[in-house]
Amino acid sequence: EFFRMMKRLMKFLDPPEHARVRALVSRAFTPRAVERLRPRIGEIVSELLAARRDAGRLDVIADFAFPLPIIVICEMLGVPVEDVPLFFQWSEDFARRGDVGALTPERERRGEEATRGLTDYFLRLIDERRRTPRGDLLSDLIRVEDERGRLGELELVATGILLLQAGHETTANLIGKAVLALLRHPDELARFRADPGLDEAACEEFLRYDTSVQITPKVATVDLPYHDRTIRAGETVATFRGAVNRDPARYADPDRLDLSRRDGRHHSFGVGAYHCLGASLARAEIQIAMRGLMDGLPAFELVTERPRYKPSLYLHGLESLEIGW
């Protein structure tokens, strides 16, 4: 079930199918569309922080970075608020199923169950929206049609799963690692806390410094000369985005976090036709989340000496990150 669904995800489609599906979905993620979401993202950030402020302690991952993007994407898709907890677990289990380097029989079982759960849920929701359209993204995707045709039912399901997955874990991981990077660079943390004008530049530096998707596998479609060898058509190549983003030939002092870096162009969202569709939304969530932490909590510090990382190099992120004040 899992791999049958993965083949339908937009990021694994080849042209021209990839371009057709992307064109139909992309209008929901333009900078202008995302700008309209900013007030609601700010409200969610404030609500999540308010729930923990009096406790004097926060798990940045479980209490904040993990819920924020999944609530945003569920609201965009039109998932009722009472069903959002279902998507927390499904999203986690679906992501772990795809990480073949750390797969166990239990993760495989849970990933297959999550795939079936997500598929059945979206099929029911699509049926409801066909009968009673609303002002959400799923209704728009059902309704939209252009000269290249509308999305089929299974394409709609796959698109819903992709938006849930791609728009959730990567952003959650990035927020958690950005907080950790600041805590390990107290001078930059002090600068960032004092200057909201750094928000956009800081977001780009967080993305460069410790990106969420460290490795991206690609399959060559043609023979490709590369330095002193040739990559043959059909061979798989692993591109290490984390290494690209710390290339000393490209960046001055690449292992240093510098929130006002001028050479901060990075490859965390990919390039070309497969550039991350939700890059504008991810940037908005990261900027609002990080500024919310600075403004919404007292000065905080790391509680755990050695934060725990998930056993994954593909979707690289923290299991937990305890801070206190």
Side-chain angles (χ1 to χ4, degrees):
E1 290 288 333
F2 174 81
F3 286 107
R4 277 198 292 269
M5 181 54 67
M6 287 289 279
K7 283 194 219 177
R8 296 180 178 275
L9 300 189
M10 177 172 50
K11 64 180 179 177
F12 295 122
L13 296 177
D14 289 327
E17 282 301 288
H18 171 266
R20 181 182 68 84
V21 176
R22 186 182 178 102
L24 293 170
V25 179
S26 62
R27 64 195 70 190
F29 295 93
T30 62
R32 180 178 295 181
V34 170
E35 197 63 29
R36 292 196 294 269
L37 293 173
R38 279 182 170 267
R40 178 55 186 147
I41 297 171
E43 289 174 1
I44 298 168
V45 165
S46 297
E47 290 164 6
L48 291 170
L49 294 176
R52 299 296 303 168
R53 191 174 292 114
D54 292 342
R57 187 173 283 215
L58 174 84
D59 184 337
V60 174
I61 307 303
D63 300 328
F64 185 65
F66 194 88
L68 171 62
I70 204 167
I71 292 171
V72 172
I73 200 67
C74 281
E75 288 188 359
M76 288 179 68
L77 286 168
V79 173
V81 64
E82 62 269 18
D83 291 341
V84 170
L86 278 173
F87 282 79
F88 281 115
Q89 194 59 57
W90 280 338
S91 180
E92 178 75 8
D93 291 342
F94 188 87
R96 298 287 75 77
R97 174 67 179 91
D99 191 359
V100 294
L103 192 61
T104 65
E106 176 64 10
R107 286 186 172 184
E108 184 174 358
R109 182 188 66 79
R110 292 175 68 96
E112 294 296 328
E113 288 182 357
T115 305
R116 288 191 292 271
L118 286 164
T119 301
D120 292 344
Y121 187 96
F122 275 119
L123 284 172
R124 289 195 302 271
L125 194 61
I126 289 164
D127 185 58
E128 288 178 15
R129 293 300 184 269
R130 286 197 194 281
R131 288 184 278 108
T132 312
R134 299 185 185 178
D136 54 51
L137 176 55
L138 195 57
S139 297
D140 289 343
L141 292 175
I142 292 167
R143 191 165 45 234
V144 74
E145 187 170 13
D146 66 7
E147 67 277 4
R148 284 168 288 191
R150 68 171 65 222
L151 292 169
E153 192 164 72
L154 287 178
E155 286 179 320
L156 282 167
V157 172
T159 299
I161 291 175
L162 175 64
L163 295 178
L164 173 70
Q165 191 59 48
H168 165 229
E169 180 146 2
T170 51
T171 303
N173 288 345
L174 201 290
I175 292 169
K177 295 200 291 180
V179 173
L180 180 60
L182 285 176
L183 287 166
R184 288 177 169 170
H185 295 80
D187 290 346
E188 291 300 280
L189 173 57
R191 285 181 66 205
F192 185 58
R193 187 180 290 279
D195 185 3
L198 282 173
D199 285 3
E200 289 187 18
C203 176
E204 299 310 303
E205 178 67 348
F206 296 142
L207 285 158
R208 182 203 70 84
Y209 183 78
D210 198 2
T211 188
S212 296
V213 179
Q214 290 282 321
I215 300 174
T216 306
K218 300 286 186 182
V219 177
T221 58
V222 297
D223 289 352
L224 181 68
Y226 182 75
H227 292 285
D228 58 349
R229 63 159 294 173
T230 298
I231 299 168
R232 299 297 178 187
E235 288 185 336
T236 300
V237 178
T239 58
F240 286 71
R241 293 188 189 182
V244 172
N245 286 345
R246 298 250 189 136
D247 182 357
R250 171 67 178 79
Y251 303 99
D253 198 3
D255 295 329
R256 178 172 60 89
L257 184 75
D258 179 0
L259 302 188
S260 56
R261 182 179 291 276
R262 295 184 182 277
D263 57 349
R265 187 164 176 257
H266 54 78
H267 287 262
S268 297
F269 290 126
V271 295
Y274 289 83
H275 180 267
C276 177
L277 183 70
S280 293
L281 178 59
R283 285 184 166 104
E285 290 173 338
I286 293 163
Q287 291 168 18
I288 296 168
M290 297 303 293
R291 182 51 52 190
L293 284 166
M294 298 301 106
D295 295 344
L297 295 180
F300 50 79
E301 59 186 19
L302 196 60
V303 172
T304 47
E305 286 296 320
R306 293 174 63 87
R308 291 183 293 112
Y309 283 86
K310 297 173 183 176
S312 171
L313 278 177
Y314 169 54
L315 289 172
H316 187 246
L318 292 152
E319 290 275 9
S320 65
L321 183 70
E322 291 270 350
I323 60 173
W325 55 91

